[in-house]
Amino acid sequence: MKNVLGPEGPLVVDGVLYFVGWMGNTLSKWDGHRTTVLHTDPACGHNGLALSKQRTFLLACTDDPGAILELSLDGKLLRRWDTTDKGARFVGGINDIAVAPDGGAYATVFGPYDGVGPPGELMGKVLYLAPGAATWREVACDLNYANGVGVSPDGKTLYVSQTVSGSILRFAVGPDGALTHRANFALLDSLVPRRNPSPWLGPDSLKVDRRGDIYVAQWFGGKILKLSPQGKLLRVFRIAAGDGTTNVAFDAGERHLYVSVVKDARDPKAVGSVVRVENVR
């Protein structure tokens, strides 16, 4: 997919590629022949995308204050959340969403970002929606621009990327979805050389495969980093289509990666694409 305005949130469902455009405010699908826009909302800033156990989409709206949408596979709005269980708005914008093996879901709150200014107030959070619950609750706070989020295959570990600090955190997940034992999991500058001096160079969204390996998109880095559950760098996938890698998804057999990437991370229009690369083990 080319000429996507703010490519993000790739997701493969039943052989169909879904993706969003945060600058275009769209959710689209590509069936191998044509692209179809399924949902638009000019006040959303479509970002992370996840598939629930009910086979609906959970969509992150990154426009501040953010929102979380539940959509049918054909793009129909089923539900919208604008606040936590305490009535707090999603100030800082919702960035990414991941669904746990038990059907619960986690979402990240990012922070103030206009594409040109330096990082601002630390307001990153992790929110949790328990299986069958009606509201999201805060389970972690004071994160340095919380971005990607992923859950281990056994549901016992949560990974959260902090874009500005260039780090990925690890949490232990409790039976009620609560997070404990916050720890540093990976520091990107210790794994790969910095490609750009931008303070925004860091981990963007991430995904966890069936083996428990973590795939991290590096904004301003032009690459996907594959890490073991112990934080060891296993492989670097260099993405020729641009330096603004934002997210990654797998096909059904995890043989290929679908990578959303902005050609030039400094481009205010964030023009980019979704590309497919072989997932080398």
Side-chain angles (χ1 to χ4, degrees):
M1 295 296 95
K2 297 182 178 180
N3 298 317
V4 182
L5 299 181
E8 247 286 4
L11 192 62
V12 178
V13 180
D14 299 332
V16 176
L17 173 64
Y18 296 84
F19 60 95
V20 304
W22 83 79
M23 293 297 293
N25 293 295
T26 56
L27 165 66
S28 303
K29 72 173 183 179
W30 183 68
D31 61 7
H33 302 283
R34 65 177 182 174
T35 299
T36 304
V37 175
L38 301 176
H39 180 266
T40 60
D41 183 342
C44 178
H46 298 51
N47 206 315
L49 186 69
L51 185 70
S52 74
K53 293 296 184 180
Q54 292 72 40
R55 289 182 59 82
T56 59
F57 289 129
L58 295 176
L59 173 67
C61 290
T62 194
D63 284 359
D64 196 0
I68 300 171
L69 310 182
E70 184 177 15
L71 307 171
S72 65
L73 293 186
D74 59 3
K76 180 182 178 181
L77 179 63
L78 304 175
R79 195 169 190 176
R80 179 187 178 103
W81 291 273
D82 294 289
T83 63
T84 68
D85 60 335
K86 305 298 185 183
R89 301 291 300 275
F90 300 141
V91 177
I94 302 296
N95 194 291
D96 204 6
I97 302 175
V99 174
D102 67 357
Y106 291 90
T108 52
V109 174
F110 192 58
Y113 176 75
D114 61 9
V116 295
E121 181 180 355
L122 272 66
M123 56 178 64
K125 297 178 176 65
V126 180
L127 309 175
Y128 176 64
L129 180 72
T135 57
W136 296 76
R137 60 185 173 94
E138 182 180 312
V139 289
C141 62
D142 299 326
L143 276 67
N144 200 346
Y145 284 82
N147 197 317
V149 59
V151 188
S152 62
D154 63 6
K156 296 181 179 180
T157 304
L158 186 81
Y159 303 97
V160 181
S161 62
Q162 298 185 114
T163 295
V164 173
S165 67
S167 67
I168 299 173
L169 299 177
R170 182 185 66 231
F171 295 87
V173 178
D176 62 350
L179 304 180
T180 60
H181 299 83
R182 172 174 168 167
N184 284 304
F185 171 70
L187 305 175
L188 267 60
D189 282 357
S190 69
L191 299 177
V192 293
R194 290 182 69 90
R195 177 173 173 173
N196 192 295
S198 170
W200 296 107
L201 184 147
D204 203 302
S205 294
L206 60 85
K207 291 291 191 303
V208 183
D209 70 12
R210 289 178 293 197
R211 299 185 181 186
D213 294 330
I214 301 96
Y215 297 68
V216 185
Q218 190 182 29
W219 179 248
F220 267 104
K223 57 179 72 75
I224 300 293
L225 307 180
K226 181 179 179 179
L227 310 179
S228 73
Q230 294 74 41
K232 178 183 178 181
L233 180 64
L234 300 177
R235 183 168 296 276
V236 176
F237 298 88
R238 302 189 186 278
I239 307 303
D243 67 343
T245 39
T246 62
N247 208 332
V248 60
F250 312 112
D251 59 13
E254 297 184 348
R255 294 180 302 169
H256 298 95
L257 307 179
Y258 288 84
V259 180
S260 51
V261 54
V262 173
K263 183 176 182 180
D264 182 352
R266 298 165 298 179
D267 176 13
K269 295 183 179 179
V271 179
S273 57
V274 181
V275 299
R276 189 179 79 167
V277 299
E278 186 177 355
N279 185 10
V280 181
R281 296 294 184 183

